[in-house]
Amino acid sequence: MTDAMSDEEILAHLTDLFADDHPPADAMEAAYAAFGWRTLDADLAQLLEDSQAEVVMFRQGAHARLLSYDCAYGTIELGVDEQAFELLVRPGARSVMIHRPWGSSPATLDAEGRASGREPAGPIRFGIVWDGGSALTPWTTL
């Protein structure tokens, strides 16, 4: 059993807790992440076209599937096959994040708004940031 604290001890403990006017970094990161969820439905890119089973030519090569998305900030074209993707974002975006169930990593965009790469097979989605806002593609599978 713990001993009861005196009023002075409680006041001293609270003073120590509130002496630092900066919240912990992980609390700030969680707050910013939660704030982003407020417009999630509005910011999800809407699927315009899905080639599903047909092989299509896309920019630099053939892909098993071509997905086209539209959102308030621009359009996104995504070619995917076994373990590769090719992304074209218009108008040019500031950044693209590749999201996987186990973590996220940035993708490098060229001057024309293209990104490509190889990723392990499985679920993948893309977070795109433009000057005016951001959007997420729905999950798709490589």
Side-chain angles (χ1 to χ4, degrees):
M1 186 170 184
T2 60
D3 294 327
M5 294 174 69
S6 70
D7 290 344
E8 291 78 24
E9 291 173 321
I10 292 172
L11 185 57
H13 186 64
L14 288 173
T15 301
D16 289 343
L17 283 174
F18 293 108
D20 184 9
D21 62 350
H22 300 301
D26 57 342
M28 288 299 294
E29 186 177 324
Y32 281 119
F35 187 73
W37 282 89
R38 77 191 194 298
T39 58
L40 182 65
D41 290 336
D43 293 342
L44 274 176
Q46 181 180 13
L47 180 64
L48 295 177
E49 185 177 342
D50 182 353
S51 67
Q52 189 58 35
E54 59 189 81
V55 174
V56 294
M57 292 301 290
F58 179 68
R59 311 292 179 237
Q60 298 176 9
H63 291 283
R65 189 172 182 195
L66 177 64
L67 303 151
S68 297
Y69 301 96
D70 186 37
C71 68
Y73 312 107
T75 60
I76 305 156
E77 293 180 25
L78 175 62
V80 296
D81 53 30
E82 292 175 3
Q83 290 183 333
F85 72 88
E86 186 176 354
L87 186 71
L88 176 62
V89 180
R90 293 213 172 121
R94 283 192 312 171
S95 65
V96 172
M97 288 295 289
I98 302 167
H99 299 285
R100 303 305 299 253
W102 53 85
S104 300
S105 61
T108 303
L109 284 170
D110 67 14
E112 294 160 359
R114 286 194 200 113
S116 61
R118 299 194 61 75
E119 290 283 327
I124 191 169
R125 74 190 289 178
F126 297 88
I128 296 96
V129 177
W130 287 270
D131 286 333
S134 62
L136 286 170
T137 65
W139 290 99
T140 192
T141 303
L142 291 183

